[in-house]
Structure formats: structure tokens, C-alpha cells
């Protein structure tokens, strides 16, 4: 499937089958995240792949993962992230988001569903998974086989001319 068709087909899934994600598919998803570009190629992102029932329950104290059999906790390492010298903006969220997007799209290419979760309690996540202070929990990607009865919302997108300006704003 070409990239635009894949991106257009992908939707957020909030109901999963209990079928586990196979090791080979998980490996491919994680590889997609590993090869994702990061600022200055510093690769300041760590991923915790959560699959055991016990750890999925621990994760459930912080976030609703909608019954997914796999969740990826994406962490940005502020001690390794690139910092823009002009205003000291650090690329932690950007790098973690690029990694997450790669893993999300690889999941879709493998016939899996996913939902990108930012609504979670980072303090609970830190406690349950012993996450040190220099690692920032940026988001969670819930992954699994979509339930057959998921309802797809229509993707309404603004027209291209409201999205892009050429040579100057406006």
C-alpha cells in the first residue's frame, strides 16, 4: 500500500480483540521507531513495551488503553535531546512524536490498530514503571487487533489551500 493510502486508511482504535500482537510484528513496530529521525540524530527516545497482564494493569492506573494487548510508553530523555541555541527549546516532544508516528504507521501497515494517548497521569506512570526524572513520559501508543465492530468516524480534513501558504503567510 502506498504511504498516502496507508495514512488515509489509519484511524484511532478504541476497542481491541484480546489476541496478542505477535513478537515479529512487535519487533517491526519497534524497529520503525528505532529508525525514526530525531534532531541531530541524538536519538533521545526510550520505549517501554508493555504486554504482560500485570503491567497492563499497572498502566491502567495512569491511562485508559481501551483493552489493547500492547502499549508502548514513549519517553524522551531530556539529558540527550537537542536544544535550539537561540531560545533553548528542547526537541524532547518532537523527537518522541516522530518516533510514535513511525510506530503508529508501521502498526497500521501490519493490519493492527492503534490509538495515540496523551491523556494519562505521568506521576502514576513514573511510580508504576520506576521512570527516572530525566525521562519525560510524552505519550502512550495502544496497539492491537481492532475489534470487528469498531465504528470509524469520517475523517474530515480541511482543504489543502487552508493548510499551506506559498512563499508567505496569508
Amino acid at each position: 500500500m502506498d504511504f498516502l493510502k496507508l495514512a488515509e486508511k489509519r484511524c484511532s482504535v478504541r476497542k481491541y480483540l484480546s489476541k496478542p500482537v505477535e513478537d515479529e510484528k512487535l519487533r517491526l513496530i519497534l524497529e520503525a521507531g528505532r529508525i525514526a529521525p530525531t534532531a541531530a540524530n541524538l536519538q533521545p527516545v526510550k520505549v517501554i513495551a508493555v504486554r504482560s497482564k500485570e503491567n497492563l494493569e499497572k498502566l491502567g492506573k495512569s491511562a485508559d488503553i481501551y483493552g489493547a494487548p500492547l502499549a508502548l510508553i514513549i519517553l524522551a530523555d531530556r539529558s540527550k535531546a537537542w536544544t535550539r541555541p537561540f531560545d533553548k527549546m528542547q526537541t524532547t516532544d518532537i523527537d518522541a512524536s516522530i518516533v510514535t508516528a513511525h510506530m503508529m504507521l508501521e502498526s497500521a501497515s501490519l493490519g493492527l490498530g492503534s490509538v495515540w494517548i496523551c491523556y494519562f497521569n505521568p506521576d502514576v506512570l513514573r511510580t508504576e514503571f520506576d521512570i527516572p526524572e530525566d525521562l519525560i513520559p510524552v505519550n502512550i501508543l495502544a496497539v492491537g487487533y481492532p475489534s470487528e465492530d469498531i465504528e470509524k468516524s469520517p475523517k474530515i480534513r480541511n482543504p489543502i489551500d487552508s493548510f499551506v501558504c506559498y512563499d508567505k503567510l496569508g
Side-chain angles (χ1 to χ4, degrees):
M1 179 180 300
D2 83 7
F3 179 77
L4 287 177
K5 284 186 177 134
L6 175 68
E8 188 174 74
K9 178 183 171 210
R10 194 231 152 249
C11 67
S12 293
V13 174
R14 291 181 177 86
K15 192 171 183 184
Y16 297 90
L17 300 175
S18 59
K19 177 181 177 180
V21 174
E22 297 86 353
D23 289 344
E24 179 59 17
K25 287 186 177 183
L26 174 57
R27 189 191 67 71
L28 291 169
I29 293 165
L30 295 172
E31 181 65 8
R34 186 188 72 80
I35 66 170
T38 59
N41 195 31
L42 294 175
Q43 304 172 49
V45 180
K46 296 264 187 219
V47 176
I48 301 172
V50 181
R51 325 192 267 185
S52 74
K53 183 177 189 235
E54 175 188 347
N55 285 325
L56 289 168
E57 287 173 3
K58 285 171 47 174
L59 183 54
K61 296 175 185 178
S62 174
D64 184 355
I65 60 165
Y66 305 99
L70 169 65
L72 305 172
I73 302 170
I74 296 84
L75 308 166
D77 187 340
R78 74 175 95 222
S79 71
K80 291 183 179 178
W82 182 78
T83 301
R84 186 167 51 203
F86 308 104
D87 60 358
K88 307 302 180 219
M89 188 277 298
Q90 206 170 32
T91 59
T92 50
D93 287 357
I94 297 166
D95 291 335
S97 295
I98 295 168
V99 167
T100 305
H102 273 61
M103 294 190 299
M104 177 184 70
L105 291 167
E106 178 63 14
S107 297
S109 79
L110 296 170
L112 298 165
S114 66
V115 64
W116 186 312
I117 301 166
C118 287
Y119 188 85
F120 62 88
N121 185 324
D123 294 331
V124 172
L125 203 61
R126 281 185 185 288
T127 300
E128 292 297 327
F129 290 92
D130 294 322
I131 298 170
E133 283 301 313
D134 61 333
L135 294 178
I136 304 164
V138 177
N139 50 57
I140 298 166
L141 188 66
V143 180
Y145 287 93
S147 172
E148 294 173 23
D149 61 349
I150 64 167
E151 293 181 26
K152 271 184 84 168
S153 303
K155 280 190 180 181
I156 300 169
R157 296 287 187 238
N158 293 331
I160 193 80
D161 61 351
S162 70
F163 173 72
V164 66
C165 302
Y166 294 96
D167 298 319
K168 66 178 184 172
L169 190 59

